[in-house]
Amino acid sequence: MKKIRTLTAALLMMATAVCHADGIEYLVVEQTDGATAQTALASFDKIKFIDGQMVIINGDATMASYPLTGLKKMYFGAGATAIQSVEATPAPSATVEVYTTSGVLVQRGDASLNGLPRGIYIVKDSRGIRKVTR
């Protein structure tokens, strides 16, 4: 069983490199309860299978964990689905501009990023410019 997990993780990581070359940027995990989560390929370096969980790891930090029994499917995708909030809310009078990493303005004025696709954004507000990921 451990060999199968190791082989699966190795194949997944090799596929990550191939997919990244084709413009695929996210690992998408769909669960049997209907929940879907996406993780940017550039934001993690390992996937491990530990105690019945698929664990996405960057360095020594666990980014996400999914029970294998609830895993419906996982695949690589080019799009993202949602981001919940900016690290800290700017002052209400501050102008907030949210851009995609390709420089497209996707939102202006609202500090809440609910409803935007999940991914990496550049946020410009009164405190400066920063990258926000989820």
Side-chain angles (χ1 to χ4, degrees), residues 63-86:
M63 296 182 60
S65 181
Y66 305 98
L68 293 177
T69 56
L71 186 64
K72 180 177 179 181
K73 66 180 175 178
M74 63 183 202
Y75 56 92
F76 298 100
T81 58
I83 188 165
Q84 292 183 352
S85 63
V86 177

Side-chain angles (χ1 to χ4, degrees), residues 45-46 57-62:
D45 56 8
K46 294 183 248 186
I57 301 169
N58 186 22
D60 293 332
T62 297

Side-chain angles (χ1 to χ4, degrees), residues 86 88-98 107-112 123-128 130:
V86 177
T89 304
S93 62
T95 300
V96 177
E97 294 177 341
V98 181
Q107 184 169 310
R108 177 179 284 146
D110 187 6
S112 170
V123 176
K124 179 181 175 184
D125 62 16
S126 62
R127 295 177 298 143
R130 66 192 180 286

